Amino acid sequence: DQKRGLADVLNLDVYSTNPQVQAFLDHIGRARATGSFSVDAAALALPAIGFVAVTVTGWQADVRRLLRDHTPAELERHNAAVLRGAGIPTSSAWAFLRHDALSPRHETVITHAVQELRGAEGLASVLDAARTAKDEVGALYQEQQAALLAAGGRGRFVRLERTHHVVLARHTDGRVVAYLPYDTVYLSKELPSLLDALAKTRVAREATSRTLYVTGTVSDAAKKAALDRGFEVEAGYRPAPKEPKAARR
């Protein structure tokens, strides 16, 4: 499908409900068909869709190929099989795959992130968090949170636990982390109650340290609220590149 291929090149969600994204893909598709617009130039004219993209390399390349080459029905069957292989109960898997706010892209990225996190207890927490999404913005948050967990874990997480829309992860050494793909975090009226809920989770109570990794900026007041509840905050977070495998001799 030409539109799926174009969305893959531009790393956009072909199933997006955002009219700007769909209009943009249609416009560039027509322009490419007439030879009047190049994809490289198109990348400079991406519509503003209200989030900071988080690029995670490695396994996501396989996901992008799946999204480019397969229909939604094929992706659903594939994702169900992957989740079954990861030990996710059938009822949890299908509740996730049939959640209205999640597009085939969101589901496929989150499914493969869960596969990357195998070995940790509480894998279904990632799917439960995804089901809190009420719209495309919330779904994108969940896609990026899952991708960041997969990049940060790499076999080192032993337990996952969800509260509200956030998943906390415990390292083998007792450290607990959460990844928050927000553009900006400030001291809103909701933040203290969210921090209180995070602090009350089992993994947080038993942690040797607690860190919130935020992809965007964090206000001083928000940092203080987190510190008051025992959470360090790292703003402007980006996952470290995966180390290449050592060459065989």
Side-chain angles (χ1 to χ4, degrees):
D1 181 271
Q2 184 183 29
K3 195 170 184 179
R4 289 204 305 266
L6 180 59
D8 171 63
V9 171
L10 299 175
N11 197 22
L12 291 174
D13 186 354
V14 71
Y15 307 105
S16 174
T17 58
N18 188 319
Q20 282 184 289
V21 173
Q22 293 300 330
F24 178 77
L25 288 171
D26 290 339
H27 170 72
I28 300 305
R30 289 191 298 269
R32 287 189 71 193
T34 62
S36 60
F37 213 83
S38 71
V39 172
D40 288 342
L44 301 177
L46 288 172
I49 48 181
F51 65 91
V52 173
V54 176
T55 301
V56 182
T57 58
W59 57 271
Q60 283 197 341
D62 295 332
V63 170
R64 287 182 64 170
R65 283 191 288 272
L66 284 167
L67 293 170
R68 181 191 65 205
D69 298 338
H70 295 276
T71 66
E74 290 169 339
L75 290 171
E76 184 177 73
R77 290 194 294 272
H78 169 82
N79 291 335
V82 171
L83 292 173
R84 184 169 58 250
I88 300 297
T90 300
S91 59
S92 296
W94 283 107
F96 160 71
L97 292 171
R98 296 290 169 83
H99 188 63
D100 289 341
L102 301 172
S103 77
R105 171 180 167 134
H106 302 135
E107 292 169 356
T108 305
V109 172
I110 294 169
T111 292
H112 281 261
V114 167
Q115 185 180 44
E116 290 291 305
L117 291 164
R118 282 180 303 179
E121 295 181 28
L123 283 180
S125 298
V126 180
L127 306 185
D128 293 340
R131 290 171 55 207
T132 67
K134 296 180 173 61
D135 52 30
E136 189 169 0
V137 173
L140 179 62
Y141 175 98
Q142 292 300 329
E143 175 189 320
Q144 294 188 338
Q145 176 177 236
L148 289 166
L149 281 164
R154 295 175 184 160
R156 296 190 295 267
F157 292 150
V158 295
R159 183 173 178 81
L160 306 172
E161 186 173 347
R162 175 190 74 90
T163 185
H164 299 291
H165 59 285
V166 178
V167 177
L168 289 159
R170 179 176 178 172
H171 277 267
T172 53
D173 60 7
R175 290 181 295 124
V176 166
V177 300
Y179 300 96
L180 308 180
Y182 286 122
D183 292 349
T184 304
V185 176
Y186 62 95
L187 189 57
S188 64
K189 63 180 181 180
E190 297 86 7
L191 183 62
S193 59
L194 174 61
L195 292 170
D196 287 339
L198 292 173
K200 291 176 182 176
T201 59
R202 176 183 169 186
V203 291
R205 294 196 313 270
E206 298 175 352
T208 57
S209 68
R210 301 185 284 196
T211 305
L212 304 178
Y213 293 102
V214 181
T215 56
T217 60
V218 183
S219 72
D220 290 341
K223 285 182 180 179
K224 184 178 184 305
L227 285 170
D228 288 345
R229 292 161 176 82
F231 289 96
E232 298 287 337
V233 177
E234 182 177 321
Y237 174 77
R238 292 294 183 274
K242 188 175 182 178
E243 296 179 4
K245 293 181 180 179
R248 291 183 179 178
R249 294 184 177 181

